[in-house]
Amino acid sequence: MTDHPSQIQTTFAEIQSKTEARASRDTGKVSILIGTATCGRAAGALEVVQTFTDELARQEIDAQVSQVGCMGHCYAEPMVIIQKPPYPPICYGYVTPGIALRLVEDFVLGDDPCLEFALGALEENELIPTVFELPRFKYDMRLILRNCGYIDPEDIGQYIQGGGYSGLAKALQMRPEGVIEEVKNSALRGRGGAGFPTGQKWDICCYAPGTPKYVICNADEGDPGAFMDRAIVESDPHSVLEGMIIAGYAIGASCGYIYVRAEYPLAVERLTIALRQAQAYGLLGDNIMGSGFNFSIELMQGSGAFVCGEETALIAALEGRRGMPHHRPPFPATQGLWGKPTSINNVKTLSYVALIITQGAEWYRGIGTEKSPGTAIFALAGKILNTGLVEVPMGTTLRQLIYEIGGGVPKGKRFKAVQIGGPSGGCLPESLLDTSIDFDSLSAAGAMMGSGGMVVLDEDNCMVDTARYFLDFTQKESCGKCTLCRLGTKQMLNILDDITRGEGRCEDIDLLIELAEDIKAGSLCGLGKTAPNPILTTIRYFRDEYEAHIIDKCCPAKVCQELIGYYILPEKCERSCDACVGSCPTEAVYTAKRGIKAIDQEKCVKCGSCVDACPPQYNAVVKISPKSLIPPSPPPKDG
């Protein structure tokens, strides 16, 4: 126990009373919550906010409008929750300014909940028994996302009223080694990708010689298709700050840094506000809650280098040097920032900490699997119906996540693969959809948990082109320090380029495997060691597509441009229609004999605009692979 437990309890009680006295929500009035994280803003949420505010003012309605974060249902943005007693909170999706006016007129003023616009009720209530459930709520287990979409991220009072900073108050009444022991007993594994035990990292850092010690929050999220950390920071920044302060107390640090990419302006803005509020409430700075513990946090904006997500490269960037990784050992826990012991944790990892302290290690161990306790957060992207964020217990299968939660593949298309774990993750086929989502099972399948990106691919995706796309990303983001990573990935990319152009050789497949194994073995950091994963898994599970490109000069998915061509079927072409002619940017489409349209293959750049322009009732433009199937000479022009 600390020497000041009663002082801490008294001080925190005063902070709670202060927030209750200045409560920003009055439970007696109508409350309207509008998601204004990046996904909501991109869909027009700010216009919806303005419409609600203006209409409520015009009609002199006493209602509270709050801007909240992301609920995770990004596919349905802008989203609005209306809380009007005695009705349960009702969630509305795809809200436009026009729908907002209807909701004010019919529901806020009247008693029609406008169920035609509702996604679901957040609580059971006999007044509206017909409202269907929100998809994925049946499977969600919102721990990290518990506040996202329900509290104003710019109001510290709402966070505290929901139990926020009680974990810090409890931790400050424990010995630092007791806090570390609780986190160790929880078996919390880092959610940045590696899955290293968090408590063990803190333990090493705590007892490592040298002062001062540092805590770093790694919010440098750069994976294509991943937006989990951004959504958490935009929606619930105080959960991250609370975890950092507890980590600082546990390891004996007095200073922390948040490294966030500058491409996240809203996250930066809300973190800045949260830091200022925590300082004002005495939750940051000197003598926190009268405990005698001092801790400050500084915000550092990264310039967007993907490699700076690697902890030693991140430290180099914080020190003002070029973001390049260095050999380990020594690890940052013993020699990190400015050569001092440093604990680096991901946004999601830190967001768990306060919950573990308040609920206990055994509670946390009871969720998920034995070796991977807790929950997993994924950003569902790609060819999936319900895109967005989802948090499920470890041990949930890929099939459940993609079909029962994500809604499956849209437009009746056939599922082909899921790319999981970021650009260095693996592509897993349909036969592995029953794989358990946990660190070890995904690794055994050739993928990895990564930071939580998940991209679903359907029958229209070429797996060779997919592997080339992700390798192109990692190759460009390589810092260039390791020869194998710098030159090896470039050589692999050149081979993949040849294959997608129909210029590959049969021996190229084995050469790709050999290069991939060498790059994994000889690279310094995780970027190079995992960059070959998309190639290895696509060869492992989709080798037939590689062989089709090489042997048959054919792209089965009709994606690789050098192996496809566009052709207009004369029997389907409507002679009086000129839609395809006007859509072609290179004037490759022309009118041939008898008014039938045709495509000059020499001029065609394969942009696909003619396919999009052709009316669906005709469907006369087709994409063909191999290109050799197209008649070599176009029909003569009319006249």
Side-chain angles (χ1 to χ4, degrees):
M1 295 283 288
T2 182
D3 296 332
H4 312 283
S6 58
Q7 177 64 42
I8 294 168
Q9 292 173 351
T10 301
T11 304
F12 186 58
E14 292 173 353
I15 293 173
Q16 290 176 312
S17 299
K18 180 180 178 182
T19 59
E20 289 173 3
R22 298 174 56 184
S24 59
R25 285 189 193 164
D26 184 345
T27 55
K29 67 169 81 170
V30 175
S31 179
I32 302 172
L33 313 180
I34 306 171
T36 58
T38 296
C39 52
R41 294 184 178 209
L46 293 182
E47 291 82 356
V48 173
V49 171
Q50 193 62 50
T51 300
F52 271 111
T53 303
D54 292 345
E55 185 64 13
L56 292 171
R58 187 183 72 81
Q59 301 213 36
E60 299 182 347
I61 301 171
D62 186 17
Q64 177 72 42
V65 177
S66 297
Q67 296 188 38
V68 297
C70 173
M71 282 184 63
H73 297 261
C74 305
Y75 63 93
E77 295 285 2
M79 292 185 68
V80 174
I81 298 174
I82 298 182
Q83 299 174 331
K84 178 186 177 182
Y87 292 92
I90 302 177
C91 182
Y92 300 89
Y94 313 99
V95 178
T96 63
I99 293 175
L101 293 174
R102 278 279 309 277
L103 291 173
V104 172
E105 187 67 32
D106 295 350
F107 189 31
V108 177
L109 279 177
D111 287 313
D112 178 6
C114 300
L115 299 186
E116 63 270 29
F117 305 125
L119 291 178
L122 303 185
E123 299 172 3
E124 291 186 7
N125 188 295
E126 65 278 1
L127 293 177
I128 51 169
T130 59
V131 177
F132 56 88
E133 293 182 355
L134 280 163
R136 80 173 64 153
F137 266 25
K138 178 181 178 181
Y139 303 95
D140 249 350
M141 189 172 196
R142 296 170 68 94
L143 301 183
I144 295 178
L145 301 180
R146 62 193 179 277
N147 292 323
C148 298
Y150 297 101
I151 67 170
D152 183 348
E154 298 183 12
D155 185 352
I156 189 175
Q158 292 187 19
Y159 180 73
I160 292 175
Q161 289 168 40
Y165 287 107
S166 60
L168 173 61
K170 183 177 179 180
L172 292 176
Q173 297 174 65
M174 302 166 63
R175 293 287 186 187
E177 57 269 25
V179 175
I180 294 176
E181 194 63 25
E182 191 73 12
V183 176
K184 287 175 70 174
N185 291 338
S186 74
L188 172 64
R189 298 177 66 170
R191 294 306 197 262
F196 189 81
T198 303
Q200 184 177 339
K201 179 184 289 187
W202 288 12
D203 191 51
I204 295 170
C205 190
C206 176
Y207 293 103
T211 55
K213 293 177 167 63
Y214 298 99
V215 172
I216 296 176
C217 171
N218 183 350
D220 187 62
E221 183 179 53
D223 294 1
F227 46 91
M228 303 77 58
D229 292 354
R230 186 201 72 206
I232 293 168
V233 171
E234 290 178 353
S235 305
D236 193 17
H238 286 284
S239 66
V240 182
L241 301 189
E242 186 176 9
M244 287 187 70
I245 301 168
I246 294 173
Y249 175 73
I251 70 170
S254 60
C255 181
Y257 293 89
I258 301 176
Y259 187 93
V260 60
R261 52 181 46 222
E263 293 96 324
Y264 287 175
L266 184 59
V268 171
E269 177 186 339
R270 288 182 169 172
L271 275 172
T272 302
I273 293 171
L275 287 169
R276 186 168 62 245
Q277 291 176 339
Q279 183 84 31
Y281 274 73
L283 299 167
L284 272 177
D286 296 336
N287 195 25
I288 296 174
M289 294 190 203
S291 65
F293 171 58
N294 307 326
F295 193 75
S296 62
I297 297 176
E298 295 185 30
L299 194 62
M300 166 72 177
Q301 296 184 48
S303 58
F306 179 70
V307 74
C308 285
E310 195 276 337
E311 57 185 10
T312 60
L314 186 155
I315 287 174
L318 275 175
E319 293 175 344
R321 299 182 287 114
R322 182 179 176 185
M324 299 178 74
H326 67 66
H327 287 280
R328 296 177 298 175
F331 291 91
T334 56
Q335 291 184 38
L337 188 63
W338 291 297
K340 303 300 182 181
T342 304
S343 176
I344 303 182
N345 297 111
N346 175 264
V347 166
K348 297 182 288 296
T349 310
L350 291 167
S351 295
Y352 276 119
V353 171
L355 277 176
I356 291 172
I357 297 301
T358 55
Q359 302 294 328
E362 289 303 313
W363 165 82
Y364 183 79
R365 288 291 293 267
I367 303 168
T369 67
E370 181 180 356
K371 294 184 178 180
S372 298
T375 57
I377 295 185
F378 286 99
L380 301 181
K383 308 292 184 64
I384 192 164
L385 190 63
N386 301 325
T387 57
L389 291 180
V390 60
E391 183 175 6
V392 294
M394 290 281 194
T396 303
T397 67
L398 288 171
R399 188 182 302 278
Q400 289 174 313
L401 190 59
I402 293 170
Y403 284 96
E404 298 179 27
I405 300 173
V409 180
K411 300 180 181 179
K413 298 288 186 176
R414 180 178 59 84
F415 172 89
K416 179 179 275 190
V418 57
Q419 203 275 348
I420 182 170
S424 300
C427 298
L428 304 183
E430 188 174 17
S431 61
L432 293 180
L433 280 180
D434 292 316
T435 300
S436 169
I437 295 173
D438 60 71
F439 290 97
D440 302 322
S441 298
L442 291 176
S443 178
M448 62 180 186
M449 181 70 70
S451 60
M454 181 177 287
V455 182
V456 178
L457 309 173
D458 70 7
E459 61 189 75
D460 293 333
N461 289 104
C462 169
M463 299 312 298
V464 182
D465 182 68
T466 298
R468 188 205 60 79
Y469 169 82
F470 284 112
L471 184 65
D472 179 65
F473 176 84
T474 51
Q475 197 277 323
K476 288 176 179 175
E477 292 292 342
S478 170
C479 72
K481 186 172 185 177
C482 303
T483 303
L484 280 167
C485 181
R486 181 180 70 250
L487 299 181
T489 55
K490 178 61 177 173
Q491 182 61 29
M492 292 180 72
L493 185 60
N494 291 340
I495 294 172
L496 288 174
D497 283 337
D498 288 343
I499 293 175
T500 57
R501 288 196 299 264
E503 299 172 1
R505 306 167 302 166
C506 290
E507 55 266 33
D508 284 344
I509 299 178
D510 292 331
L511 180 57
L512 283 171
I513 296 173
E514 183 180 349
L515 279 169
E517 297 297 344
D518 289 343
I519 293 168
K520 291 180 69 172
S523 294
L524 179 61
C525 78
L527 186 150
K529 290 182 180 299
T530 60
N533 282 345
I535 291 87
L536 290 173
T537 51
T538 51
I539 292 176
R540 179 178 175 182
Y541 299 118
F542 302 95
R543 191 183 184 104
D544 58 325
E545 290 201 27
Y546 281 83
E547 292 171 346
H549 283 71
I550 294 170
I551 299 172
D552 301 327
K553 311 300 179 186
C554 168
C555 177
K558 300 175 185 177
V559 170
C560 300
Q561 288 198 353
E562 297 295 328
L563 300 179
I564 64 171
Y566 290 89
Y567 181 63
I568 297 177
L569 301 174
E571 65 273 18
K572 289 191 175 184
C573 180
E574 172 56 47
R575 291 162 176 75
S576 62
C577 172
D578 290 321
C580 57
V581 177
S583 70
C584 183
T586 60
E587 298 182 350
V589 183
Y590 63 93
T591 303
K593 290 289 187 180
R594 300 183 303 280
I596 295 173
K597 306 304 180 294
I599 299 176
D600 186 337
Q601 298 300 316
E602 295 298 322
K603 291 183 178 180
C604 180
V605 294
K606 307 179 186 68
C607 64
S609 58
C610 53
V611 176
D612 298 333
C614 185
Q617 62 267 33
Y618 305 139
N619 199 25
V621 186
V622 294
K623 189 162 47 171
I624 296 176
S625 180
K627 186 178 175 181
S628 58
L629 294 176
I630 300 175
S633 357
K637 293 184 179 181
D638 191 13

